[in-house]
Every structure is written in C-alpha cells, then in structure tokens.
Amino acid sequence: MDILIKNGRVIDPVNKIDRVTGVLISEDRIVKIGNLSEVKTSGEKPKIIDAKNKVVIPGIIDIHTHLREPGHEEEETIATGTRSAAVGGVTSIFCMPNTHPVIDNQTAVEFILLKAKNEGIVNVFPVGAITKGLSGEDLTEIGELKKAGVVSISDDGNPVMDALVMRRALEYAKMFDLSVIAHCEDKNLSEDGVMNESYTSTLLGLRGIPNESEDVMVARDIILSALTGGHLHIAHVSTKGSVELIRQAKRNKIPVSCEACPHHFTLTDEMVKTYDTNTKVNPPLRTEEDVREIIKGLQDGTIDCIASDHAPHTEEEKNKEYDLAPFGIVGLETLLPLTITYLVKTKKLSLMAAITKLTSNPKKIFKLDSGTLTPGSKADITIIDINVERVIKDFVSKSKNSPFLGKKLQGFAVMTIVNGKIIMDNGKILSD
Ligand code: DOR
C-alpha cells in the first residue's frame, strides 16, 4: 500500500527543502514531495499519516555502531541492535568489524548481510577490517571485501599503528573507491590509560590518555591521506587538536572527513568522578575546552557527521572497577535526542545542519542510496517530534550501558520507515 505523510515539516538537506508539505511513498520508493492536492496515487487509497507539528526527514544513517554478532551475542545481536536503531529513528547503520571472528573476509561479510536480511529490521552496511584479525599487520583482501559488500574499511577499536600499513590501506582503498575509517590513537601514548589525562585523572588516581594520543595519529593519517590521495574518515573525534588539524587539512583540500559522537559534545571528564563505568569510553570524555571546540567544528563544517559509536556491553562486564571495565556505551537510542537537546534546542546548530550531519553527509561521504527524500530514492524516512520530552529509562538494545539513563532529553523519533515499511510507531516495533 502507498503511504502519504501529510502536514509535516519536511526537511531534506540534499534538495534544500524545509517546508510544510507531503511525502508520497509507493512500495520501497519515494514518489513525490508536494501537497496532497497535487498528488495522484496509483488507484488504491494510500495510508495517510498525519505529521502535523512533526518533522519528516530522510532516515538517519548512523555510520558507527558495534553489533557484536558474531561472537558477543550476550551484548547485542543484529536483531536487537537493528531494533534499537529503529526506536532511535535510525534507518541505516554501519557495523564495525571488531566482532569474533573479525569481519575481515568475504564469508564474514556475507554472514552479516544474510543475518541482517533475515533478522534485521533496518539497513545494515558492514564495515570490513583493514588488517586481518585487527592485528594491525597484514592487510585484508580489500577488493574481495568490497565485492562482498562492505561500505568502508576500519580497524575501529584499534589503531593501525604501523604507518606503512596505513599508507597501503589508503592506496588500496582508493583503488577500490572506498574510504578508510580511522580510529586515531597512539597506543604507546595511551599506555594503559582509562580516562582523559587531566587534573581530574590525577585527582582520581586513574591512568590518563592524553589528547596527544589522538592528535598525533590524526596528524599522521592526514599526512598519509595527502600522500596517497586516499579518502580518510576520522572516527569519534574528541580533542581540540584534532578539530584544528582536520580544519587545516580541509583548507588544504586533503580528502578527509570526520564524525563526532554525542557523548563528546555533551559530557566532560568531570563525570568520571562518579566512578560510573558508563563514563568509560574510547576516546575518553575530555574537557570543557575540547567540548567547546567539537561544537565549533560541528558549526563551521569541519565535523561532517554525528555518529553514535553504539558500543554495547553487559552489566556484568561494566560492573567492575573503573580500571577493568571495557570501554564503550550504547548510543543508538540517544543519538537523535542528544543532538536535538544539546545542539538544536541550545541554538548551537540549526535543525537543517543537524539533519545534514545525520543523513546527507553520511550519504555523500560513503556514496549511499539512502539519506535523501529525492523522488526515486529508497523510502527510508524518520518522523520526529522535536518538542517531546522524555526521561531515558530503558533501552531496546540488549545492553543498558549509558551515562544518559535518568536524563531528561528532548526530541525523539515517533515513526521509522525503512524500504517503504513502517517498522516503528510511537516507540513500538511493528515488524515483530
Ligand atoms: O568505547 C569504545 N568502545 N571505543 C571503541 O573504539 C570501541 C568500542 C567497543 O567496541 O566497545
């Protein structure tokens, strides 16, 4: 059945649309953006969705999630992770290859795609590993990974410490028209750090990870991108220094893009004083000054995308001493409300700019079919209520490791449509 979304404020950055109008969907495609009176449907009456006082946007693309399947299904599976996405208004996710086994070969990619087809409810785009087993040593068969269906390559969770390996990765990725997503961290400088290196880490007696551990690798990878011409996408930017390096690189026309995660523009390392292990992420929460610079980077276009770095861990794993707990927090269900609450409601970013970083920039950087409402494109749509307030109480994700539990946020998805099918309505998953 056709679907007609009426009376909503339709925002589509690709077509520079921001007005109250209708969107008509037929099967899995967007047919038309326009007023109801102009719209003729194909015989059968369409299902009407009244989006009055709501915002209708291209489905959100989260370019950074960890689904944990295969290997750590107790933390998340493709089934639960994609349901968590649907509730968060996310219609497409990139899943990182640090699973067990690692997504470093064709069979592993095929496994993800098959599982996603059978058990997932949003689009799943696998990211293949740069090096076999994420060892940082031997490159994967990048052409084979591309043929199998990866959208990018990354050793996320681990840096590629060897500069020659990174150089070759950028060269091969360029040959196969892929970008390299870099986890920029100098492991030697991080040592065994568990939080940001700062006055707070000294006070708490916890080992610190200095900003420079990220900055030196961002600088190195920018230099290698300039050398090779390979497209570099820097994951989870957390420091003032990185933002400035990327700004300069863009001025110099080096092919670099990047993302920031909500926890890095909303929280600081002061939060670690609670010893709550849900403040333990990699890269770590930084200082007020870093947060300010990340926001400036989002404002001036240095930071292209907002991504969740959804990293589920079980309560047993997180319920340990700070030193021993794993890094990572869940983020698919808070990606949109944190962006709305901390950037849009505070007038730091316009709604159009925020939606651009969640939809059309990921589309552009990774050359995806989704991410726009242009007629003829895939009918992936998120309908949001930017005024609704809610206290974060629980998650659909299998894991609950979030520092935002108990926080009141504003701006949530009320409907998620994937491939022309309504899969979430008012927080309820409809496909089950
Ligand atoms: O906090 C993090 N958790 N950062 C990463 O880079 C990896 C991730 C994970 O896989 O848990």
Side-chain angles (χ1 to χ4, degrees):
M1 183 196 271
D2 293 354
I3 299 175
L4 178 62
I5 305 168
K6 278 174 56 180
N7 306 324
R9 176 179 166 194
V10 176
I11 298 186
D12 181 24
V14 167
N15 294 298
K16 301 198 170 44
I17 291 173
D18 183 354
R19 64 187 150 94
V20 174
T21 189
V23 179
L24 180 69
I25 300 167
S26 186
E27 301 196 348
D28 65 342
R29 298 280 139 181
I30 291 167
V31 175
K32 180 164 180 136
I33 302 180
N35 290 326
L36 175 64
S37 54
E38 303 163 25
V39 165
K40 298 257 181 311
T41 58
S42 55
E44 201 188 347
K45 272 207 162 132
K47 178 183 171 65
I48 307 277
I49 292 161
D50 187 4
K52 191 159 188 273
N53 299 325
K54 311 280 192 305
V55 184
V56 182
I57 63 169
I60 295 170
I61 302 167
D62 185 2
I63 58 172
H64 197 141
T65 76
H66 297 270
L67 287 180
R68 306 302 192 210
E69 187 175 4
H72 280 288
E73 289 82 356
E74 72 287 1
E75 297 176 331
E76 196 78 285
T77 62
I78 290 169
T80 60
T82 55
R83 278 158 182 78
S84 173
V87 167
V90 176
T91 57
S92 297
I93 51 184
F94 283 20
C95 62
M96 288 297 163
N98 63 338
T99 47
H100 300 274
V102 171
I103 309 172
D104 61 4
N105 61 74
Q106 188 182 336
T107 313
V109 177
E110 283 166 2
F111 169 82
I112 300 287
L113 289 172
L114 188 67
K115 272 266 175 179
K117 185 163 171 254
N118 293 337
E119 295 168 25
I121 63 167
V122 304
N123 308 305
V124 175
F125 295 113
V127 175
I130 298 173
T131 62
K132 289 181 188 154
L134 305 178
S135 62
E137 289 165 10
D138 301 322
L139 283 183
T140 53
E141 298 292 338
I142 296 169
E144 186 184 292
L145 289 174
K146 163 99 188 210
K147 233 189 279 157
V150 303
V151 278
S152 185
I153 53 168
S154 180
D155 271 6
D156 183 66
N158 293 306
V160 175
M161 284 295 288
D162 186 323
L164 179 59
V165 175
M166 192 60 166
R167 174 190 179 162
R168 297 283 179 245
L170 283 159
E171 286 168 345
Y172 279 108
K174 187 182 173 198
M175 261 166 56
F176 295 107
D177 196 24
L178 288 172
S179 53
V180 176
I181 301 177
H183 171 118
C184 290
E185 177 184 6
D186 185 313
K187 279 281 185 198
N188 298 318
L189 280 173
S190 296
E191 281 191 276
D192 296 318
V194 295
M195 69 168 291
N196 184 42
E197 182 178 297
S198 61
Y199 175 67
T200 314
S201 64
T202 311
L203 210 67
L204 297 177
L206 291 173
R207 277 177 305 235
I209 302 172
N211 279 26
E212 288 71 12
S213 148
E214 178 172 315
D215 300 350
V216 295
M217 288 299 252
V218 168
R220 184 202 74 175
D221 287 351
I222 287 171
I223 290 166
L224 293 176
S225 168
L227 171 69
T228 59
H231 183 264
L232 173 72
H233 178 85
I234 298 166
H236 42 51
V237 169
S238 77
T239 68
K240 178 185 168 184
S242 298
V243 176
E244 188 46 32
L245 286 161
I246 296 162
R247 187 176 285 126
Q248 287 304 330
K250 287 188 167 189
R251 278 192 194 132
N252 294 331
K253 305 271 181 280
I254 297 168
V256 54
S257 59
C258 70
E259 77 204 22
C261 306
H263 44 276
H264 289 128
F265 60 74
T266 57
L267 305 175
T268 68
D269 62 358
E270 293 270 315
M271 283 274 298
V272 183
K273 285 182 179 163
T274 58
Y275 287 103
D276 177 0
T277 57
N278 289 331
T279 62
K280 185 172 175 183
V281 279
N282 189 18
L285 303 178
R286 303 285 186 184
T287 64
E288 202 74 66
E289 198 187 0
D290 294 296
V291 168
R292 232 186 353 258
E293 293 304 315
I294 299 272
I295 293 172
K296 269 198 211 147
L298 286 161
Q299 289 170 328
D300 72 9
T302 301
I303 300 175
D304 306 272
C305 304
I306 301 175
S308 73
D309 197 359
H310 179 80
H313 292 290
T314 63
E315 205 171 329
E316 291 72 29
E317 290 169 312
K318 276 292 202 181
N319 199 1
K320 287 196 181 130
E321 289 164 49
Y322 206 89
D323 275 337
L324 303 176
F327 290 100
I329 58 175
V330 288
L332 279 164
E333 291 163 69
T334 46
L335 174 67
L336 176 67
L338 287 169
T339 302
I340 302 281
T341 308
Y342 286 86
L343 299 177
V344 178
K345 289 289 172 185
T346 54
K347 302 211 178 327
K348 289 180 175 135
L349 272 193
S350 67
L351 188 56
M352 175 66 92
I355 302 308
T356 301
K357 292 176 199 297
L358 292 166
T359 65
S360 56
N361 280 355
K363 171 193 178 56
K364 198 166 71 189
I365 294 165
F366 296 98
K367 306 182 180 94
L368 307 172
D369 187 16
S370 321
T372 176
L373 300 175
T374 306
S377 40
K378 230 148 69 85
D380 292 344
I381 295 179
T382 305
I383 304 180
I384 60 185
D385 183 338
I386 59 164
N387 295 317
V388 69
E389 279 189 343
R390 207 177 288 156
V391 174
I392 304 295
K393 291 209 186 95
D394 197 9
F395 295 110
V396 168
S397 166
K398 218 171 195 180
S399 292
K400 319 291 172 194
N401 51 313
S402 167
F404 299 104
L405 276 168
K407 292 263 183 315
K408 192 192 262 182
L409 300 178
Q410 210 178 353
F412 289 83
V414 293
M415 184 172 280
T416 309
I417 299 173
V418 175
N419 287 320
K421 226 174 114 212
I422 302 170
I423 57 158
M424 187 280 282
D425 188 3
N426 263 315
K428 227 176 137 316
I429 300 290
L430 297 186
S431 67
D432 292 333

